[in-house]
Amino acid sequence: MSYQVAYISTYLPQKCGIATYTYHLRQNVQKARRDSLDDPVVVIKDRHIHYPEDHFFNIAIKRDCREDYIKAAEALNKSSVSVVSLQHEFGIFGGEGGKYILELVRRLKKPLVTTFHTVFRTPVPPYTPIQREIADRSDRIIVMNHKAVGYLTRMFHLPASKISFIPHGTPQPDLKGREGFREALGWTNRKVIMTFGFISRNKGIEAVLRALPDVVKRVPDVLYVIAGQTHPNVKRQEGESYRNFLKKIIRENRLEKHVLMIDEFMTEQDLVNYITACDLYITPYPGMEQITSGTLAYAVGLGRPVLTTPYRYAQDLLKGNEALFVPFNDQAGWSEKISVLLSKPALLKKYQNSIAHIGQIMSWPQVGKRYSQLFAESASRAHAESVMTEADNLAGETS
């Protein structure tokens, strides 16, 4: 049957990982479905963002306006959409812990398929009660980490059959263009390690910077590229204090010729080119509970070798490649592993092949197909239940 999806999420042009994720998901589900239906977006608006007057933004929610969530539920119930996709991350919704989204979920009469971008291993107030209610009211739940299935079934007593694992989507690799990208960026004669994403204190970049002087001694042509702007919310709260802290480490260790900080927002294609052009991708995150990472997913999907702290998502994604894990505070470990990988092309190639194998199932077209199948099942089940209810009502009227 033909079906239409409404996405509840932040959305481009907002500079937000969930916004970018939803944009790609929407595009690839529509391609997989192969029909002309244009899926609407219920956009969670940021007051600092100017949104275009695109026709698919036909329902908008001001983040901190509780009444808007109620109105959105009413509008969805009256609409022609067959299924609703909720992209859930606590911080994008209003109220303590993002609880305003419950005003919408409680009133929604359409099938709800929820993607949890954050799942905790143990209960965390005030978030856990909100997530529990969303999970209970959802027809299906999608997670991007196998471990999250166990967390949800244990905490919320959900049947495992209600939860589906679908990997984080990524662009398709273009390794044939790699040398051209490196030449255009001026990296032809450098051994490039890279971290990408919004800059904030939870990225742990200082761990790599402190290990870098020892790497320079062994790999003199090393270049550490730190690409990305300071996260907008962080910048509003504390300005550029973290970036300035990193710059101080660079100056004190005389690393100016070995570190490149790119303070700009990049397009999707820029991101793909930069990751493809680097020799080694690094996520030195200090927080071990992180259940997803879009940047690590992109690096793996694009087939680049990686080094990372062993946070939850990395453990799940890189299972069988534990040699690529380094504890956050292990300065000697970072120095040794970066130096060895950049000095031994055969070893680096071995891990590149291993990572590329993992990344094969993560391309956006593949992810779009899996989501599309799940949406179709939910829409079909809801339609069948509706037909049965109408038949029961008709039988009651004629008896």
Side-chain angles (χ1 to χ4, degrees):
M1 62 172 286
S2 180
Y3 69 92
Q4 188 175 31
V5 187
Y7 295 90
I8 303 174
S9 179
T10 53
Y11 205 77
L12 300 183
Q14 184 170 345
K15 297 174 183 178
C16 161
I18 307 298
T20 303
Y21 179 91
T22 306
Y23 169 81
H24 287 297
L25 176 61
R26 178 176 177 270
Q27 299 297 316
N28 283 277
V29 167
Q30 290 189 168
K31 289 177 183 177
R33 198 176 53 207
R34 295 181 180 178
D35 64 30
S36 59
L37 289 176
D38 201 8
D39 295 331
V41 178
V42 180
V43 64
I44 311 300
K45 297 184 72 171
D46 185 308
R47 61 188 178 88
H48 301 280
I49 304 297
H50 173 71
Y51 295 86
E53 297 297 327
D54 289 329
H55 62 280
F56 58 81
F57 287 137
N58 54 5
I59 304 175
I61 294 174
K62 293 188 289 293
R63 179 184 181 277
D64 297 310
C65 179
R66 185 195 299 262
E67 187 64 27
D68 278 3
Y69 293 84
I70 297 171
K71 291 178 180 178
E74 293 170 350
L76 286 169
N77 290 337
K78 294 175 183 177
S79 74
S80 60
V81 301
S82 313
V83 61
V84 174
S85 169
L86 171 62
Q87 299 300 313
H88 183 267
E89 181 63 89
F90 297 100
I92 69 175
F93 303 108
E96 184 184 15
K99 67 180 180 181
Y100 286 177
I101 190 60
L102 295 178
E103 301 290 351
L104 190 159
V105 170
R106 289 167 181 166
R107 293 167 174 81
L108 187 67
K109 297 178 182 178
K110 303 281 185 173
L112 179 64
V113 177
T114 297
T115 302
F116 282 137
H117 289 260
T118 293
V119 177
F120 299 110
R121 181 168 55 166
T122 56
V124 178
Y127 306 110
T128 300
I130 297 169
Q131 192 163 49
R132 181 190 302 275
E133 183 167 349
I134 294 171
D136 287 341
R137 293 179 181 274
S138 297
D139 295 83
R140 296 292 297 271
I141 295 167
I142 297 171
V143 295
M144 302 176 215
N145 187 318
H146 291 94
K147 294 176 183 291
V149 177
Y151 297 166
L152 291 172
T153 55
R154 185 181 69 251
M155 272 199 299
F156 302 150
H157 307 291
L158 299 172
S161 59
K162 187 175 183 176
I163 309 168
S164 296
F165 165 79
I166 300 180
H168 193 296
T170 68
Q172 294 175 288
D174 179 16
L175 295 182
K176 291 182 180 179
R178 174 172 151 77
E179 290 307 316
F181 300 151
R182 287 176 61 82
E183 184 176 353
L185 293 168
W187 296 355
T188 302
N189 298 314
R190 304 300 295 267
K191 299 287 180 61
V192 181
I193 58 179
M194 181 180 172
T195 297
F196 177 87
F198 285 120
I199 303 299
S200 62
R201 295 184 188 277
N202 64 356
K203 295 305 171 80
I205 294 168
E206 63 271 22
V208 180
L209 289 177
R210 287 171 175 150
L212 202 58
D214 288 333
V215 177
V216 171
K217 293 175 184 176
R218 299 170 65 178
V219 188
D221 54 353
V222 67
L223 176 66
Y224 182 26
V225 177
I226 305 166
Q229 294 178 313
T230 300
H231 194 286
N233 293 339
V234 172
K235 193 170 184 177
R236 284 195 287 268
Q237 293 171 6
E238 60 177 69
E240 294 287 6
S241 62
Y242 181 61
R243 186 181 296 273
N244 292 333
F245 165 67
L246 298 178
K247 288 180 178 179
K248 183 180 179 182
I249 297 176
I250 294 168
R251 288 194 304 270
E252 290 176 346
N253 290 278
R254 299 180 180 179
L255 293 169
E256 289 88 348
K257 294 182 180 180
H258 298 281
V259 180
L260 174 62
M261 296 189 78
I262 304 173
D263 183 7
E264 60 185 62
F265 181 77
M266 295 184 183
T267 65
E268 177 83 3
Q269 191 57 54
D270 288 335
L271 171 58
V272 171
N273 292 354
Y274 270 81
I275 293 178
T276 302
C278 80
D279 295 289
L280 182 63
Y281 193 84
I282 296 179
T283 55
Y285 303 161
M288 293 298 98
E289 295 303 314
Q290 187 164 334
I291 204 79
T292 60
S293 168
T295 60
L296 182 61
Y298 268 41
V300 172
L302 291 168
R304 304 314 303 142
V306 300
L307 275 182
T308 179
T309 47
Y311 53 94
R312 298 294 171 194
Y313 183 64
Q315 288 180 27
D316 186 63
L317 185 62
L318 301 175
K319 189 174 182 179
N321 294 275
E322 286 75 13
L324 299 174
F325 295 156
V326 186
F328 173 71
N329 290 318
D330 186 0
Q331 183 174 320
W334 282 110
S335 175
E336 176 67 16
K337 291 208 171 182
I338 292 171
S339 299
V340 168
L341 286 172
L342 294 183
S343 302
K344 297 185 176 181
L347 182 62
L348 193 66
K349 181 67 174 178
K350 169 192 169 185
Y351 283 116
Q352 177 179 316
N353 292 338
S354 179
I355 295 300
H357 180 72
I358 296 171
Q360 286 177 353
I361 66 167
M362 298 175 65
S363 71
W364 271 119
Q366 293 296 322
V367 170
K369 288 178 183 177
R370 294 182 65 178
Y371 262 94
S372 180
Q373 181 180 8
L374 197 148
F375 288 152
E377 290 172 358
S378 293
S380 178
R381 186 164 52 249
H383 177 72
E385 291 173 357
S386 176
V387 170
M388 289 180 63
T389 299
E390 290 182 8
D392 289 342
N393 291 340
L394 182 61
E397 292 173 2
T398 56
S399 61

